[in-house]
Structures are given as C-alpha cells and as structure tokens.
C-alpha cells in the first residue's frame, strides 16, 4: 500500500505542474480536477474488477513517468508517414497535438482544431463530448487521461464531405514520458473519411501512452478506421476508443496490435439510431514477454443494425493475450444481425490466451453468433505445403502468415499493408 | 528404375490397408491403379508422398535407388515426387502465385539452380497456367480458397506443371469433375507427359483413361495388386465391374 501511495504522489506532482499552468475554461478545469481526485482515490484498476480479471496493471503501477519538456522530436518523422498520407497527417508528440508538425494540404475539406482553439470556437461540443462520452469514472486510466487534458485534437469532417485522401494521426513519444492524447472526431451527416491511427516507434524507448479517442458518426456517415499499434517493445499502452453510430452509418475498423510490452485496447461501439453497420476487426501478434489485451463492447440499442467482429491472434513465446468481446442486443433492437469470431493460433506452449466472447440478447428477433478458438495449425495443411517441397518450418510460417492476412488484407492502403506484411514476415522469418 | 515398391504393408492408426504390394515404374510410363473403394488406392498415393498419418509396417520403396521411406515429405517433393490431392487444401491469405514461387524456388535451391524473382516467375507461371486454361485472376487468389471442385483439380495440375516432377501421382483427380473440367485436366496432364517422367493415375473409374492413355493398368483389391494388364483391362473392368476380379483373385 505504501508503494501505491507513493506512485500516486508522483502523478500528483505531475498533475499540479500541468494544472497550474492551465488557462482552460472553468468547466474543463473542474472536470480535470474531479478526474484527478477519482484517480487519487481509486488508482489503476485491479484484478478484483471483473473487466480487469486477467489484466494485471501492476507493471504500470510500478513504473515512474514524467511529463514531456521537449516541444519537438529530435528525430525526423518522415519515415513514419505513410506514402498515401504525405500531405494529410497530424502529429501528436508526447501526447500533445502539434499543428506545426502536421500537414493537411491534401485534405482541405476537413477541419482541425487543437483543444485550445476548439475551446474558443466549439466550446459546447467539447464540453458535451469530454464530459459525457468517455467518462473519467470509467476507470483509473480514463480518469488519468482526463486529468491531463491539455492540447488534444478536434477533427471535424463537415457535412457531405467525402475526404478522398486517408488521414494519418501519428503518435510518437520519447523516453520516460506519460502521453495522454485525447481526440474528438465528428463525422457529420453524409460525410466519408479514412483514418489511420498509428502509434509508431522503432527504438526501444520506455514510455506510457494512455489515449482516449471519442468518435461520433452522424447519419449516413462512413468512417474507415485503421489502428496500428507498433509502440516500442518497452512501452506501456492503453487506448480507449468510444464510437457512437448514427442512422445508416458505417463504422469499419481494423485494429492491429504488434508493439508494446503491455497493452490494452478498449473499444466500445454504440448504435444511437437504426440501420447502421459496424465492423470491429483486429489482429494481434505477440511474442517474447508481451501482454496484449482487447476488450470490446458492441451495443445494439436500436433496430436493424448489423455488427461484425473478426479478431485473430498469433501468440508466441511467453506472451499473454486477453480477448473479451461483448455484444449486447437490447430489448428494442429487433432485426439485429451480430456475429463475432475470435480465432487464435498458439505457437508456443509457454504462451497463454484468455478469450471470452459474450453475447447477451434481450430480444427474439435477431441473428447472432459468436465463437472463439485457440489452436495449432492443421496437420493436413502442413502436409499439403510440405508435399510441394516446403520444409516444415517454412510451411508452418507460411500458414501462419496466411492466417493473419485475412485481417491485414482489409487494409486497402498499399503502403500500410506493405509495412504490416513486412513486420509479419520478419516476425515469422518468411521471405516472399 | 524410377520407383520400385516391394512387399509394401502399410495403413493408418494400426490398421493394415496395404497387404504386400509390389510395383515397378520406369521413366516414360503411365500406370493406372484401379480398384474398388477401400482397396487401398489412396493409401498407396499417400504413403508414396509421405503423409505423416500413414504407417509402414513392412516392405520398402526405392525411388531412383534410394530408400524413399527415410525421406521427409518435403524432401521427396524436392527430389521430384508430386501427389495431386483428391481433396486439395485451401490456404487463405496466401496467393497462388506467392505459394507456387516459394515451392518452385525451394526446389531450385535444392537442385543448386537459380531462384526466380517475382517478375521472372510470373512470366513462367502465366505460360504454365495456359496448360490448364487458368486466367491471371486465379493466380492472384488465395490457394484453392473459394475454388470450385474442378478449379481445385486444375490448380493441382498447375502445381504439377510448375514443379515438373519426375513422378506424379494423381489421386482420384477425376472425381467430381464435369466433362469440360476433365478434358482440361487431362489435356494438362498429357502435355506434361514425357520420356523423362512417370505418372501414376489412381482412379475408380475408367473414364479418365479415355483421356489419358495408360501403358499399364493394375487392379488393386484388398491391399494387393491382383491383376495387371494394358488399357484393355480397364475397359473390361468398366464392362464387368470389380467383382469379376475379386472372384478371379
């Protein structure tokens, strides 16, 4: 207990430092203060909490982090920008949105505001979203993120705008830093966009990313959202993604987890009206002593909505993986069509997977299914490839590659797909 | 002698299916192995290819004078043995062209020959694909995924064309094919037939032999070859059925 109090004192110091410099409006200061109080009292969640049963937060509790003093990265970011987004990227450095490092030349029909700007122009939207969508009381991580809200990003795709170029949001952090990026995304009526949320870090820095991303799709809007988590292998990472989906809208996300020593992705998608569609797919590839957790909730509150969830995992070494996928079909949500699948390849006897698909249906008029598997490669498949001259190890690696490709192939952006293929092949020592 | 099987006794899960099979195959020959269901035809094919589920209790198989049973399945393949599967396996996420290039290059590497890069290989692949009337869309698709029965069998023959085996065993390649697919598959096999290789056709029906003419026909019953002859034997089987052989044996 003594240790824990000490750590919270450490965040206390950081909080006071950040808070004392704030010139934010009273509602936001008040929100931050309450959030920090919540964190001080509750700390990070513990395994006694059902949602954290298999997720040990102790590794983070033990670590000390600091706030960033640098305003600009010392290294070049060019290598981290995808070919398709050379003129449409936004940069977060150590958790803060830095407009000077960003480039939106090719996406002039979208609006971006740093929080300090948005508090002047869109104060009501910010207050509404930051206080109500992802509430700080959700857990110690969202509380800590809220307590440290400084320069977040408000991204607005205006009505009926079809954004033809993909937009990359790049997150980079430096050694020892706690980064708490906060992003609001509003896709207005009839608008369409593609977003790549990329946490990239090639070096072995130790830092902590604690991101919260709130997304709202109004009616007949479409957002394709690719999330690429390739943090350093000494990093700690948690992202809370919350999505609200309006009538006849489509939210299609692909979540790739390759990096971080300890990571968790919480994603909630909630239908706020009828006839919308949600795809929440993902791939996690873990090895060594990595820990990777996915917690998802898809909430069917309204009739005639469709959700698909396809998560695949390749789990090697001594790594540990948690998958928890909940689908709720509420009483009024007639005509719901919801399917969930979680398939895992366990490549090592020292690795471990805890998977729990959950379907809760309060309504008869539905089509739902869910399933999870944990297994090894099929002997027949291995033999087929060997019978064509591939040595056993290459046959197994190629099958594993193919297993992952179903998810990676969803990403239509060539250079994003190519870098993921490369990472996957490197990990599997396959040459194609 | 390309292949010599002596007193082969083999089976699966401790059950003996082949009960003393003898067979000699020279380069340039086409042998048809016929027989009723359960006679051990597919077992023979799988034992030659090295399927790990099958067990050899007694006997030996010499391939180019070497002990085949000591070789791993992939080694056998690189040494020139190819089995076309009765039920080809789907490999989602790996394209036909990627897969074939990897297999081709593994063989080249083994033979100490130059490997091909994707561009060079695709030229070769397009030529080979013409043999089984496959368009380039097939080459981009995942191996066998979503292929019809006939497409899968054509894909097996494409693999054979790319890997140019010395000994090809076609395990019930004709089963489930309509007449057009059968013609395409047979044309592909005929064009690959040469003095330098041998083919073993494992089939239940004589139909395939109208398209691919064998030099020898063997009838397998209860784990042994009970009768051997030329293509006339197949016609006789077609007419009289297998009971006649069983009785004669």
């Amino acid at each position: 207990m003594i240790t824990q109090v000490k750590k919270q004192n450490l965040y206390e110091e950081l909080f006071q430092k950040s808070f004392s410099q704030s010139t934010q409006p009273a509602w936001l200061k008040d929100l931050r203060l309450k959030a920090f109080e919540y964190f001080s009292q509750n700390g990070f969640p513990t395994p006694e909490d059902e949602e954290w049963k298999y997720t040990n937060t102790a590794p983070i509790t033990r670590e000390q982090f600091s706030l960033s003093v640098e305003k600009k990265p010392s290294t070049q970011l060019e290598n981290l920008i995808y070919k398709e987004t050379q003129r449409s990227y936004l940069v977060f450095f150590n958790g803060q949105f830095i407009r000077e490092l960003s480039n939106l030349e090719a996406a002039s029909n979208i609006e971006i505001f740093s929080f300090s700007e948005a508090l002047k122009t869109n104060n009501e939207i910010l207050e509404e979203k930051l206080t109500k969508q992802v509430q700080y009381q959700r857990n110690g991580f969202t509380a800590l993120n809220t307590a440290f809200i400084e320069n977040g990003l408000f991204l607005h795709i205006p009505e009926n705008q079809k954004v033809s170029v993909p937009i990359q949001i790049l997150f980079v952090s430096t050694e020892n830093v706690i980064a708490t990026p906060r992003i609001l995304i509003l896709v207005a009526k009839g608008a369409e966009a593609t977003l790549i949320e990329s946490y990239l870090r090639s070096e072995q820095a130790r830092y902590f990313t604690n991101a919260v991303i709130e997304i709202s799709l109004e009616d007949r809007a479409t957002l394709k959202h690719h999330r690429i988590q390739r943090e350093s292998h000494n990093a700690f990472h948690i992202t809370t993604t919350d999505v609200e989906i309006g009538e006849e809208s489509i939210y299609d996300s692909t979540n790739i987890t390759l990096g971080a020593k300890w990571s968790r992705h919480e994603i909630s998608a909630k239908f706020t009206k009828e006839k919308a569609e949600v795809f929440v797919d993902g791939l996690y590839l873990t090895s060594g002593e990595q820990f990777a957790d996915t917690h998802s909730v898809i909430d069917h509150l309204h009739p005639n909505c469709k959700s698909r969830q396809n998560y695949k995992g390749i789990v090697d070494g001594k790594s540990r993986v948690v998958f928890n996928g909940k689908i709720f079909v509420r009483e009024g949500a007639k005509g719901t069509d919801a399917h969930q699948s979680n398939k895992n390849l366990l490549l090592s006897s020292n690795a471990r997977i805890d998977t729990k698909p959950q379907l809760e249906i309060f309504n008869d008029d539905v089509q739902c299914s869910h399933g999870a598997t944990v297994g090894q490669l099929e002997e027949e498949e291995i033999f087929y490839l060997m019978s064509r001259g591939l040595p056993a190890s290459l046959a197994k690696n190629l099958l594993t590659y193919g297993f992952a490709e179903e998810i990676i192939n969803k990403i239509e952006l060539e250079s994003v797909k190519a870098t993921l293929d490369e990472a996957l092949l490197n990990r599997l020592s396959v040459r194609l | 002698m390309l292949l010599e099987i002596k007193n082969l006794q083999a089976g699966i899960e401790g059950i003996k299916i082949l009960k003393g099979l003898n067979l000699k195959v020279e380069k340039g020959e086409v042998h048809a192995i016929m027989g009723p269901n359960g006679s051990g035809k597919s077992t023979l094919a799988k034992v030659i290819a090295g399927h790990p589920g099958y067990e050899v209790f007694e006997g030996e198989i010499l391939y180019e004078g070497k002990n085949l049973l000591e070789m791993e399945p992939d080694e056998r393949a690189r040494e020139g043995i190819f089995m076309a599967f009765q039920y080809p396996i789907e490999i989602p996420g790996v394209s036909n062209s990627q897969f074939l290039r990897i297999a081709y290059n593994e063989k080249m590497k083994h033979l100490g020959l130059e490997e091909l890069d994707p561009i060079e290989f695709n030229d070769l692949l397009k030529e080979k694909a013409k043999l089984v009337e496959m368009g380039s869309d097939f080459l981009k698709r995942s191996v066998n995924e979503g292929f019809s029965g006939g497409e899968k069998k054509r894909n097996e023959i494409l693999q054979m064309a790319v890997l140019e085996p010395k000994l090809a065993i076609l395990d019930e390649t004709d089963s489930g094919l309509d007449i057009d697919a059968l013609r395409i598959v047979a044309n592909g096999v005929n064009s690959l037939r040469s003095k330098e290789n041998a083919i073993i056709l494992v089939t239940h029906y004589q139909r395939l032999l109208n398209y691919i003419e064998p030099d020898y026909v063997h009838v397998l019953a209860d784990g042994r070859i009970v009768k051997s002859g030329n293509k006339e034997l197949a016609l006789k089987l077609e007419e009289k059925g297998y009971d006649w052989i069983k009785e004669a044996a």
Side-chain angles (χ1 to χ4, degrees):
Chain A
M1 277 320 282
I2 292 166
T3 344
Q4 194 153 358
V5 171
K6 251 189 180 168
K7 297 301 177 230
Q8 285 175 10
N9 282 345
L10 176 83
Y11 284 108
E12 175 91 44
E13 211 175 289
L14 299 181
F15 176 71
Q16 294 306 344
K17 192 173 147 200
S18 157
F19 192 74
S20 63
Q21 291 163 2
S22 165
T23 54
Q24 291 161 329
W27 70 262
L28 183 52
K29 285 178 120 176
D30 185 47
L31 179 73
R32 289 182 57 184
L33 210 51
K34 280 183 183 156
F36 193 71
E37 272 168 28
Y38 176 93
F39 178 74
S40 301
Q41 279 164 23
N42 298 282
F44 291 120
T46 61
E48 280 101 76
D49 182 336
E50 185 60 30
E51 294 303 313
W52 295 81
K53 198 171 167 185
Y54 299 104
T55 309
N56 185 7
T57 59
I60 299 180
T61 313
R62 285 199 295 264
E63 300 279 329
Q64 298 191 347
F65 300 99
S66 59
L67 290 174
S68 164
V69 283
E70 307 158 75
K71 288 281 170 238
K72 276 186 181 168
S74 52
T75 52
Q76 297 291 314
L77 297 177
E78 277 96 64
N79 302 339
L80 304 176
I81 307 296
Y82 294 111
K83 197 172 106 257
E84 292 86 348
T85 56
Q86 292 292 325
R87 293 166 63 234
S88 54
Y89 62 88
L90 302 163
V91 176
F92 274 75
F93 178 60
N94 286 335
Q96 307 301 324
F97 171 55
I98 314 280
R99 187 184 274 273
E100 298 73 51
L101 295 175
S102 305
N103 178 342
L104 265 190
E105 283 169 28
S108 53
N109 54 346
I110 69 166
E111 295 176 359
I112 57 153
F113 307 92
S114 68
F115 275 5
S116 51
E117 293 160 348
L119 287 165
K120 292 172 195 147
T121 54
N122 293 280
N123 187 44
E124 302 77 34
I125 297 177
L126 239 63
E127 183 170 358
E128 165 84 19
K129 293 292 172 192
L130 294 183
T131 55
K132 293 197 180 128
Q133 194 169 354
V134 173
Q135 299 190 337
Y136 66 82
Q137 305 95 320
R138 186 190 285 225
N139 59 50
F141 291 100
T142 53
L144 201 60
N145 174 283
T146 306
F148 284 94
I149 288 178
E150 282 188 41
N151 229 5
L153 168 71
F154 174 46
L155 176 63
H156 181 223
I157 319 288
E159 215 169 297
N160 295 323
Q161 291 298 326
K162 318 268 189 246
V163 186
S164 54
V165 289
I167 299 153
Q168 181 182 4
I169 306 182
L170 171 66
F171 300 83
V172 281
S173 293
T174 50
E175 185 73 28
N176 289 332
V177 161
I178 171 171
T180 55
R182 184 87 172 212
I183 300 176
L184 291 186
I185 298 168
L186 180 62
V187 188
K189 275 181 192 162
E192 288 177 16
T194 299
L195 188 70
I196 310 159
E197 174 192 344
S198 56
Y199 302 86
L200 303 179
R201 179 78 201 194
S202 52
E203 294 136 70
Q204 292 305 305
R206 186 202 69 113
Y207 54 88
F208 174 25
T209 303
N210 176 9
V212 174
I213 297 174
E214 287 148 296
I215 301 171
S216 299
L217 276 73
E218 292 183 349
D219 298 345
R220 295 176 307 284
T222 299
L223 182 66
K224 278 194 183 170
H225 185 177
H226 307 300
R227 177 187 139 80
I228 317 286
Q229 194 269 86
R230 296 186 65 183
E231 301 268 34
S232 132
H233 279 287
N234 290 315
F236 299 85
H237 176 103
I238 180 165
T239 295
T240 305
T241 309
D242 193 282
V243 194
E244 295 178 346
I245 303 119
E247 191 163 300
E248 291 180 38
S249 286
I250 301 169
Y251 175 72
D252 182 352
S253 77
T254 310
N255 302 282
I256 310 289
T257 298
L258 292 173
K261 177 181 187 171
W262 184 102
S263 71
R264 172 156 161 139
H265 183 216
E266 281 197 24
I267 176 162
S268 318
K270 187 166 74 185
F271 294 102
T272 58
K273 287 185 180 172
E274 294 187 42
K275 296 177 198 159
E277 294 181 13
V278 155
F279 300 85
V280 180
D281 298 331
L283 171 72
Y284 40 83
L285 184 64
T286 60
S287 60
E289 305 210 338
Q290 278 182 292
F291 171 80
D293 175 359
T294 300
H295 263 67
S296 74
V297 177
I298 296 173
D299 203 346
H300 285 264
L301 289 151
H302 294 275
N304 304 315
C305 290
K306 170 177 152 182
S307 69
R308 291 285 180 276
Q309 187 169 25
N310 183 11
Y311 263 80
K312 285 187 154 186
I314 298 168
V315 184
D316 202 355
K318 291 182 185 168
S319 65
R320 279 204 52 205
V321 156
V322 175
F323 177 84
N324 187 301
K326 285 196 189 77
I327 300 174
F328 293 109
V329 183
R330 309 286 179 180
E331 210 173 332
K334 294 192 191 322
T336 290
D337 176 6
H339 298 280
Q340 181 190 60
S341 154
N342 173 229
K343 289 184 185 154
N344 296 282
L345 275 182
L346 194 58
L347 298 186
S348 141
S349 55
N350 295 318
R352 177 179 163 153
I353 300 166
D354 291 287
T355 173
K356 191 178 178 190
Q358 250 177 296
L359 193 52
E360 292 187 30
I361 306 172
F362 304 97
N363 172 350
D364 293 337
D365 175 25
V366 295
Q367 279 192 32
C368 295
S369 73
H370 69 154
T373 58
V374 176
Q376 280 84 39
L377 295 164
E378 298 282 335
E379 196 185 60
E380 276 306 308
E381 295 177 352
I382 297 169
F383 173 62
Y384 187 62
L385 297 192
M386 288 181 76
S387 78
R388 301 306 181 244
L390 279 65
S393 59
L394 178 58
K396 287 176 189 171
N397 286 336
L398 190 63
L399 289 168
T400 308
Y401 167 82
F403 177 82
E405 280 297 287
E406 186 193 354
I407 305 297
I408 292 180
N409 277 335
K410 260 196 78 190
I411 298 174
E412 290 154 358
L413 304 160
E414 270 316 310
S415 80
V416 181
K417 194 182 160 313
T419 56
L420 289 175
D421 272 345
E422 196 189 325
L424 178 64
L425 292 169
N426 276 339
R427 192 76 76 86
L428 299 170
S429 330
V430 178
R431 192 169 51 100
L432 285 189
Chain B
M1 185 74 60
L2 184 64
L3 183 77
E4 187 170 10
I5 302 177
K6 296 179 193 164
N7 185 33
L8 182 64
Q9 303 190 30
I12 192 163
E13 289 164 0
I15 299 161
K16 202 180 271 187
I17 299 169
L18 296 178
K19 298 168 183 172
L21 184 139
N22 297 291
L23 182 68
K24 286 181 186 176
V25 178
E26 297 276 7
K27 276 186 181 176
E29 295 176 350
V30 174
H31 291 246
I33 310 269
M34 300 184 70
N37 291 329
S39 58
K41 302 190 300 289
S42 275
T43 299
L44 175 63
K46 284 172 177 163
V47 169
I48 297 173
H51 192 294
Y54 288 80
E55 213 179 323
V56 175
F57 306 110
E58 261 193 81
E60 63 177 338
I61 305 181
L62 297 175
Y63 173 71
E64 294 186 313
K66 285 173 287 192
N67 182 354
L68 187 72
L69 298 175
E70 276 181 358
M71 293 157 75
E72 291 296 321
D74 54 314
E75 243 180 301
R76 299 182 195 196
R78 292 192 298 269
E79 286 286 335
I81 290 182
F82 178 91
M83 175 176 79
F85 279 49
Q86 185 178 1
Y87 303 108
I89 308 288
E90 298 189 5
I91 316 282
V94 179
S95 76
N96 234 350
S97 58
Q98 279 175 330
F99 168 52
L100 283 167
R101 181 161 48 81
I102 292 170
Y104 179 85
N105 281 337
E106 282 298 319
K107 184 173 176 174
M108 291 298 114
K109 203 158 67 182
H110 177 73
L111 297 176
L113 298 171
E114 204 175 329
E115 297 178 41
L116 296 185
D117 69 28
I119 295 163
E120 294 167 326
F121 181 75
N122 278 343
D123 290 341
L124 177 131
L125 187 55
K126 273 183 205 157
E127 280 308 306
K128 301 285 185 184
K130 284 181 192 164
L131 291 176
V132 284
E133 302 178 25
M134 275 170 107
S136 54
D137 53 320
F138 272 100
L139 306 176
K140 286 181 203 148
R141 280 165 62 183
S142 292
V143 180
N144 293 327
E145 192 186 32
F147 283 28
S148 71
E151 288 166 351
K152 283 182 181 170
K153 296 297 175 77
R154 276 155 66 188
N155 207 21
E156 294 293 284
I157 303 307
L158 172 63
Q159 293 174 13
M160 176 179 160
V162 169
L163 297 173
E164 297 182 331
K166 287 183 226 165
L167 175 66
I169 306 136
L170 311 188
D171 186 9
E172 308 256 3
T173 294
D174 52 328
S175 69
L177 291 188
D178 63 31
I179 203 73
D180 290 328
L182 183 66
R183 182 187 50 79
I184 293 169
V185 162
N187 286 346
V189 173
N190 282 330
S191 61
L192 295 172
R193 191 173 174 172
S194 84
K195 281 181 188 158
E196 294 308 311
N197 62 30
I199 297 170
I200 299 175
L201 303 167
V202 171
T203 179
H204 187 83
Y205 301 104
Q206 188 270 338
R207 187 177 70 150
L208 178 68
L209 308 183
N210 291 335
Y211 294 86
I212 307 170
E213 206 173 292
D215 300 303
Y216 302 96
V217 174
H218 309 278
V219 181
L220 196 57
D222 194 27
R224 289 187 192 89
I225 289 175
V226 292
K227 200 162 180 65
S228 295
N230 57 16
K231 60 177 180 170
E232 302 303 322
L233 177 58
L235 291 168
K236 202 165 174 186
L237 287 168
E238 176 85 345
E239 191 189 319
K240 293 190 167 182
Y242 285 110
D243 291 342
W244 155 74
I245 292 284
K246 280 185 201 164
E247 280 156 26

